[in-house]
Amino acid sequence: MAPNGNIRSLILMQISLFRLMSLHTLHVRMTSANLGAELSCSICLSTYTDPVSLRCGHIFCQDCIVSALDTQEGAGGYSCPECRAEYQERPALEKNRKLSNIVERFLCSHTDPEETPIFCTYCDSPVPATKSCLQCDASFCDKHLSKHSKSAEHVVTEPAVNFEHRKCSVHKEMVKYYCSVDSAAICTSCWVSREHKGHHVELLNVVYERKKETLRSVSETLKSEREETERTVQRLQVHGREEKEKAAGVTERVTDLFRDIREKLDTLEREVLGEISRQEEQMSHSVSGLITQLEKQKDELSRKISSIEEMCNITDPLTFLKKEPESDVPSHRSCDVTSDVRVAGCVAEGIISQMLRRGLLHFSDLMDLQTKRQLSVMEKADILLDIKTACNYIIISGDRRTASYTDVYHQHRPEGPERFISQQVLSSCSFSSGRHYWEVDVGKAEDWLIGVAGHSIERKIEGNESYIGYNDKSWGLDSMGELVACHNNIHKEIDAGSPVQTVGIYLDYEAGRLSFYQLCDPIRHLHTFSATFTEPLYAAYHVYENCCIKILK
């Protein structure tokens, strides 16, 4: 019994020891994992390689942070990828030597428990393999590799544990060829079999090199696209900053303008209210004076009434007749102060109205001048229609601002290279630079198509090729059926919210922007085209049947 008890005790001790070792191993793994996380770059998420730090204290791989700073080049500043700390100039990178030593020791001591080392097949003691042969299904150290066959059949690769995935599942031979018809890797037996007869078959390595070269070419193309994308991002960032600065400047000028407006309105209000107060005070003073006089007159009348009533109370005729009445007792009603209240004066609303009107007119002139000076207000372009371009089914008004459809052909108009066959007309003036704005009344048109067109737009074709927005020479807003923005025969639907009566068109030639606005209350943006204009542009109009379009002054 004793020996069995000893064996049992020994087993229990081994189990306890195993548990302790397992807990220790788990603790080591957790500690290693935590340390590995602390030693990871926040950009590539891998263990630091040549760690460097910024002034903000954050650490990155040298290549990672250099690439990140390169992408920020030309953006007007730099920032830390982790805390977004900003630097006006490209920050200096400080090599963290102590952290480099820690990373080196960590990598040397850290081994992944799931990694299985590959040893030489022919060594008696475990010696790490440097290569594996697909033909031999074996791995070699440098010593045995030197004695290995150098024939082309023996394909040498990086050390591998299992070669089954490199063998044909049918013939159990190493795959050496690639069938492009079936897109499959095959062995020699597969090639000569009936299954792949007549197919285009090449060596696996040849296909591999060719496809890898194709991928390299694709990679280079993608790199070029990425660089162009990065440049576009940088241009957008610069544009965003410029527009932000512009918006800040406009905001400041508008704020100043409204402050001036408020100050001038306050001044005008004080002047008008002051005049009202002056007239009210004058009227009040006059009323008070008249009331005082009338009160005195009322008292005098009361005294005289009392005197008369006293005489009337005398019963003796002789006494009554001997007592003479006061000489100033009126025989009829008289008054020193007129009973008409208008003599007291009143607030002259007409004068105040004229004062207010003159002040507002003067204020309006000042505001117009101030607005032009502070905001560089753009004058509306004076657009007139060019009869030489008008289709013979279009009537042009005498002031050359209205175009309407007619089914009567105007044969008296001379033909020329500028005249449209389709129902269109251009403006007489063109725009090749600057910013321009004009307005079009489309309220009397059931359907309408307006926009801009280059001089080279096709004019002698009856069809979509010449219509505004249906080619690469023009940009338009079309309301036929539904409201759409169109260019190069590509249409984008627009929700206007309400029927469009008047359209404002804004062209910024250098910036390459053409914008359409619905002039309602409030003004609503409909669509903006972005393009690079390469020729002079004309205001363009397509006149449908039952259509009348008017350019507003």
Side-chain angles (χ1 to χ4, degrees), residues 443-473:
K444 296 182 180 179
E446 294 181 5
D447 300 310
W448 46 269
L449 171 57
I450 60 177
V452 301
H455 185 271
S456 61
I457 187 173
E458 181 59 54
R459 308 181 191 216
K460 300 303 181 182
I461 295 179
E462 175 61 46
N464 287 359
E465 294 87 347
S466 67
Y467 290 174
I468 302 166
Y470 287 76
N471 48 71
D472 62 353
K473 305 294 184 182

Side-chain angles (χ1 to χ4, degrees), residues 388 414-420 457 459-460:
K388 296 194 303 295
E415 288 297 330
E418 298 182 30
R419 190 174 306 284
F420 281 97
I457 187 173
R459 308 181 191 216
K460 300 303 181 182

Side-chain angles (χ1 to χ4, degrees), residues 36-55:
E38 290 295 326
L39 297 178
S40 296
C41 172
S42 61
I43 297 179
C44 65
L45 304 180
S46 300
T47 306
Y48 289 122
T49 302
D50 297 327
V52 293
S53 59
L54 300 176
R55 289 198 303 272

Side-chain angles (χ1 to χ4, degrees), residues 86 117 120 153 158 232 243 284 299 335 344 366 416 467 506 533 536:
E86 295 183 352
C120 178
E153 295 180 352
E158 295 301 315
T232 303
E243 292 302 311
S284 296
D299 293 340
C335 185
L366 286 176
Y467 290 174
Y506 174 75
F533 303 127

Side-chain angles (χ1 to χ4, degrees), residues 332-371:
H332 57 82
R333 189 179 187 279
S334 64
C335 185
D336 294 335
V337 181
T338 178
S339 60
D340 190 349
V341 298
R342 288 176 296 181
V343 74
C346 60
V347 176
E349 291 187 51
I351 298 299
I352 294 173
S353 176
Q354 288 300 316
M355 180 181 180
L356 184 61
R357 179 177 175 275
R358 291 183 62 185
L360 288 176
L361 287 175
H362 180 62
F363 169 78
S364 177
D365 293 340
L366 286 176
M367 285 303 99
D368 186 53
L369 180 63
Q370 191 82 344
T371 302

Side-chain angles (χ1 to χ4, degrees), residues 278-340:
R278 186 192 66 78
Q279 292 189 24
E280 187 267 340
E281 184 178 356
Q282 183 179 8
M283 180 273 301
S284 296
H285 181 73
S286 176
V287 168
S288 298
L290 289 173
I291 289 174
T292 300
Q293 293 181 42
L294 289 172
E295 288 291 344
K296 291 179 179 179
Q297 183 172 313
K298 186 181 71 170
D299 293 340
E300 183 63 22
L301 290 173
S302 297
R303 186 185 64 78
K304 291 179 178 181
I305 289 171
S306 297
S307 176
I308 292 173
E309 289 177 349
E310 183 180 345
M311 287 185 65
C312 290
N313 290 330
I314 298 175
T315 57
D316 181 17
L318 183 62
T319 303
F320 176 81
L321 293 174
K322 285 183 176 181
K323 190 170 183 178
E324 293 291 336
E326 293 185 11
S327 60
D328 58 350
V329 175
S331 58
H332 57 82
R333 189 179 187 279
S334 64
C335 185
D336 294 335
V337 181
T338 178
S339 60
D340 190 349

